[in-house]
Amino acid sequence: MTRFPLEGVRVLELGNYIAAPTTGRMLADFGAEVIKVERPGSGDELRRWRLYAGTTSMLFRTINRNKKSIVVDLRTEAGQRDVRTLATQCDIVLENFRPGTLEKWGIGVDALNAANPTLIFVRISAFGQTGPMATRPGFAAVAEAYGGLRELVGEQDRPPVRVGVSIGDSIAGLYGAFGAVMALLDRQRHPGKSIPLQDRIIDVALNESIYSMMESLVPDYLAYGVQRHRTGGRMEGIAPSNAYLCADAKSVVIAGNSDAIFQRYMTVIDRPDLAADPELAANDGRWARREELDDAIGAWTARRPRDEVLEILGEAGVPCGPIYTAADIVEDEQYLHRNMIQSFDVDTGDGAPTSVGFPGIVPVLGGRSLPIGSIGPDLGAHTDEIRRRYLRKNQS
């Protein structure tokens, strides 16, 4: 592509951590100019999360790619004036402070809307901007519990566990980006029309973002009284689909749960008796006998190394795959073909810059990931540029 779809859109990011910055990352990935406001001295706390060496973590570099960093103290009158001035020249404001914080500083929705009555506001918080829990603090870990996810992750005879990434923050960030683009489209479709403020506020709650991904969790409960529980590597009501250990101590995931695939699956693992069993022809019967099926599959994989298991099942058209680590991902031909690993020279604390691969841009346009313009910037790297372009001429 010779252009990016969001070129010309300008975003003021007041967020920290992962949720709102993920929204900013997605908008920046597709061409928006994202001005990230950071506190003096330390900047976004994410700069030090998973910091193994150097001064800025790869987590920050990843989530804040393609953005510009300006240092502004939001607690001061000068900093608040800078925000109001920047807001007059932006299309979108992103924030994930506890509700009421920006209002306390004089840079809340009403103040910024008075400065720019076309602004779109993406507000991400633990429980949303309204309701009895609105002012409660909360990170994604708490939201994942409230949203119903945590209860379903792990083994049934053990306490719930968490997935290894901040999935609640990331999902909320996706909703924030979708809401922002939705509001931009609404504005574009009604040129010259004043869109009410309440229609320009994208209110994203972490717990609701998780809850919205829980499929039929609540309808199943209300309709049938079903309380879902943790099922380990399985998915409730779907069989056979699980992870299985191979002879070389490596594991594979095999999802042979469709009716047609199941027949081929059982035949290829030398269990034609299971393929022909009428009780197993449909998914409900297979779920009822899931232990038996997993035992049969596990016995078959245990006699073969992982690559042989994948080759046999792949030839039979049974969905399967290895359980990748980071080392596997960076050598995978599919990721490389679609430009999903893009390298930049980065300060890793060892003196000379090191070439580091970063995740490509999703979704893909034109067959391959769009190129990343820059990784997350050093603290305040664009302060002079932004002040020169947007602040000095408007505050003189």
Side-chain angles (χ1 to χ4, degrees), residues 234 239-246 254 262 265-266 269-271 273-274 280 286-304:
R234 298 185 178 115
S241 181
N242 209 337
Y244 304 93
L245 188 65
C246 300
I254 311 171
F262 177 75
Y265 188 8
M266 293 300 101
I269 69 167
D270 305 320
R271 290 301 302 268
D273 56 314
L274 297 175
L280 301 175
R286 295 194 295 270
W287 178 251
R289 292 169 61 180
R290 58 192 178 276
E291 298 291 349
E292 176 186 355
L293 293 175
D294 275 349
D295 287 346
I297 298 164
W300 182 80
T301 61
R303 298 193 298 270
R304 294 165 176 80

Side-chain angles (χ1 to χ4, degrees), residues 5-314:
L6 295 180
E7 281 182 338
V9 174
R10 188 171 299 124
V11 180
L12 182 61
E13 181 183 299
L14 305 179
N16 292 289
Y17 305 114
I18 296 176
T22 294
T23 295
R25 185 194 80 173
M26 294 200 68
L27 299 176
D29 280 348
F30 291 97
E33 180 183 21
V34 178
I35 301 171
K36 181 177 180 65
V37 171
E38 298 191 70
R39 67 181 70 122
S42 58
D44 188 333
E45 288 187 33
L46 209 65
R47 289 183 176 276
R48 296 177 300 284
W49 286 18
R50 297 185 206 134
L51 178 60
Y52 302 107
T55 59
T56 303
S57 70
M58 296 303 111
L59 179 60
F60 179 90
R61 299 287 193 196
T62 300
I63 292 178
N64 292 284
R65 66 192 186 193
N66 293 326
K67 301 178 186 178
K68 298 177 178 178
S69 170
I70 179 174
V71 173
V72 175
D73 190 345
L74 299 182
R75 288 179 165 82
T76 66
E77 290 186 7
Q80 293 155 12
R81 184 172 61 251
D82 286 343
V83 167
R84 287 190 290 270
T85 301
L86 287 169
T88 65
Q89 301 164 80
C90 289
D91 300 284
I92 301 168
V93 171
L94 311 178
E95 64 100 356
N96 60 344
F97 287 93
R98 191 191 304 189
T101 301
L102 293 183
E103 283 74 11
K104 180 178 65 178
W105 291 337
I107 48 175
V109 165
D110 290 340
L112 297 186
N113 185 64
N116 181 356
T118 67
L119 263 180
I120 294 163
F121 298 90
V122 177
R123 313 196 76 181
I124 303 179
S125 59
F127 301 103
Q129 301 295 316
T130 60
M133 297 177 66
T135 58
R136 284 195 187 186
F139 285 122
V142 177
E144 290 162 21
Y146 269 102
L149 176 64
R150 188 68 71 94
E151 175 61 21
L152 301 186
V153 183
E155 300 292 339
Q156 189 169 9
D157 60 346
R158 299 181 185 179
V161 298
R162 189 181 187 186
V163 299
V165 294
S166 298
I167 193 71
D169 284 317
S170 297
I171 291 173
L174 289 169
Y175 276 122
F178 172 73
V181 172
M182 180 176 64
L184 284 172
L185 178 61
D186 187 35
R187 193 173 73 179
Q188 181 184 28
R189 292 173 63 185
H190 300 91
K193 180 180 178 181
S194 178
I195 299 175
L197 175 58
Q198 64 267 23
D199 294 342
R200 290 182 278 115
I201 298 175
I202 310 303
D203 181 356
V204 181
L206 295 177
N207 68 311
E208 292 168 355
S209 298
I210 288 292
Y211 168 58
S212 72
M213 293 290 176
M214 298 309 295
E215 301 175 349
S216 60
L217 178 74
V218 168
D220 285 344
Y221 168 69
L222 295 175
Y224 311 117
V226 172
Q227 288 271 29
R228 288 184 56 186
H229 301 287
R230 295 181 294 286
T231 54
R234 298 185 178 115
M235 176 66 70
E236 179 79 23
I238 298 173
S241 181
N242 209 337
Y244 304 93
L245 188 65
C246 300
D248 53 3
K250 297 178 181 179
S251 295
V252 295
V253 168
I254 311 171
N257 45 280
S258 83
D259 295 347
I261 290 173
F262 177 75
Q263 303 295 318
R264 302 196 301 269
Y265 188 8
M266 293 300 101
T267 299
V268 82
I269 69 167
D270 305 320
R271 290 301 302 268
D273 56 314
L274 297 175
D277 191 327
E279 290 186 357
L280 301 175
N283 186 70
D284 55 348
R286 295 194 295 270
W287 178 251
R289 292 169 61 180
R290 58 192 178 276
E291 298 291 349
E292 176 186 355
L293 293 175
D294 275 349
D295 287 346
I297 298 164
W300 182 80
T301 61
R303 298 193 298 270
R304 294 165 176 80
R306 184 186 72 177
D307 290 349
E308 181 181 337
V309 167
L310 295 174
E311 181 179 2
I312 292 171
L313 293 175

